């Protein structure tokens, strides 16, 4: 069981916390992390590219010319794909690119991502972050004291004051345990967990381990 130091928002040591090994001490496997991240990125693709079929192109209500006697090829509609301005054959249509990942694999990847931050020293446990107003300069001061650089801050619950105060900081992202995902953890160099959020994360993933 790993034991890590707990700091206050001025980065002064205030205690220690024991992390559940089934959540924070899992050997990372690149193929599992890659699979889950690809599924997340695929699910985020908009898939809104669209071309018009014959039923969507304007016009085409009248036969361009009579069937015979003109010397020209037969034509029933100017919506035909072979006409300029006509429909597109087999063009791209809106679709979803996401693919299913087993819930146990997603949970395993989360534990691997969390464990990787413990292993590389990128995990920081903070007792609490408290600022008087939702002002960027106030949160920026805390970020400087905590030496945050490309950090993901996990709050125990949604806190509008902290969220609004951190929104304008390009190197800080805030989230909650129920919204935490593998891609967020791995794309940030630092993972900052408020102490109350640790138990929520452990409860979420340790419970899966026991099933």
């Amino acid at each position: 069981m790993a034991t890590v130091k707990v700091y206050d928002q001025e980065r002064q040591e205030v205690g220690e916390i024991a992390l559940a090994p089934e959540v924070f001490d899992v050997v990372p496997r690149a193929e599992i992390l890659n699979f889950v991240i690809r599924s997340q990125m695929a699910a985020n693709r908009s898939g809104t590219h669209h071309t018009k079929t014959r039923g969507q192109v304007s016009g085409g209500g009248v036969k361009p010319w009579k069937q015979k006697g003109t010397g020209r090829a037969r034509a029933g509609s100017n919506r035909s794909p072979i006409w300029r301005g006509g429909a597109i054959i087999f063009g791209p249509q809106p679709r979803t690119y996401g693919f299913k990942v087993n819930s146990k694999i997603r949970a395993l990847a989360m534990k691997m991502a969390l464990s990787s931050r413990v292993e590389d020293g990128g995990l920081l446990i903070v007792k609490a972050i408290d600022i008087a107003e939702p002002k960027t300069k106030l949160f920026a001061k805390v970020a400087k004291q905590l030496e945050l650089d490309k950090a993901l801050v996990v709050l125990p619950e949604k806190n509008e004051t902290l969220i609004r105060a951190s929104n304008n900081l390009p190197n800080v992202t805030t989230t909650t345990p129920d919204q935490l995902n593998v891609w967020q953890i791995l794309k940030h160099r630092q993972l900052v967990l408020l102490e109350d959020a640790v138990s929520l994360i452990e409860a979420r993933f340790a419970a899966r381990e026991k099933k």
Side-chain angles (χ1 to χ4, degrees):
M1 180 178 291
T3 301
V4 297
K5 296 177 180 179
V6 179
Y7 298 89
D8 62 16
Q9 65 185 44
E10 296 177 352
R11 207 177 173 92
Q12 299 297 315
E13 186 178 340
V14 294
E16 293 184 339
I17 186 172
L19 301 177
E22 63 270 23
V23 177
F24 290 94
D25 191 19
V26 179
V27 178
R29 291 172 55 187
E31 67 275 16
I32 291 180
L33 292 172
N34 176 269
F35 180 61
V36 172
I37 287 174
R38 283 195 298 110
S39 74
Q40 287 182 213
M41 296 181 72
N44 286 336
R45 290 184 65 177
S46 60
T48 55
H49 45 289
H50 174 70
T51 55
K52 292 184 177 182
T53 64
R54 289 184 72 129
Q56 296 165 330
V57 176
S58 62
V62 179
K63 186 174 174 65
W65 50 76
K66 63 181 184 178
Q67 183 80 345
K68 297 183 179 180
T70 65
R72 290 179 289 187
R74 304 170 187 177
S77 171
N78 59 9
R79 296 179 182 179
S80 170
I82 63 175
W83 278 51
R84 185 167 181 263
I88 301 296
I89 301 176
F90 305 129
Q93 298 293 318
R95 54 166 288 195
T96 299
Y97 287 88
F99 54 90
K100 185 178 179 181
V101 177
N102 186 289
S103 61
K104 289 185 177 180
I105 297 297
R106 289 200 307 270
L108 179 59
M110 275 292 301
K111 290 184 280 190
M112 288 179 176
L114 292 166
S115 300
S116 69
R117 284 294 165 262
V118 176
E119 185 179 350
D120 64 16
L123 177 67
L124 179 66
I125 308 294
V126 179
K127 185 75 175 176
I129 297 177
D130 184 28
I131 57 176
E133 299 176 275
K135 300 287 187 180
T136 300
K137 64 180 180 181
L138 297 179
F139 197 98
K141 182 180 178 181
V142 174
K144 184 176 181 180
Q145 291 172 325
L146 291 175
E147 301 174 8
L148 302 188
D149 178 30
K150 193 66 175 174
L152 176 64
V153 181
V154 183
L155 312 173
E157 59 186 9
K158 193 172 182 179
N159 185 318
E160 287 296 337
T161 299
L162 295 180
I163 292 172
R164 289 174 59 190
S166 63
N167 274 347
N168 290 330
L169 297 178
N171 63 331
V172 175
T173 303
T174 57
T175 188
T176 53
D178 59 322
Q179 298 295 319
L180 189 62
N181 63 64
V182 176
W183 174 235
Q184 278 184 323
I185 295 173
L186 296 184
K187 78 174 182 177
H188 291 85
R189 286 191 288 270
Q190 293 172 299
L191 176 63
V192 181
L193 302 180
L194 268 60
E195 188 175 22
D196 290 344
V198 175
S199 58
L200 296 175
I201 292 173
E202 290 179 341
R204 177 183 172 189
F205 296 106
R208 289 178 177 270
E209 186 74 18
K210 294 176 183 177
K211 287 181 180 180

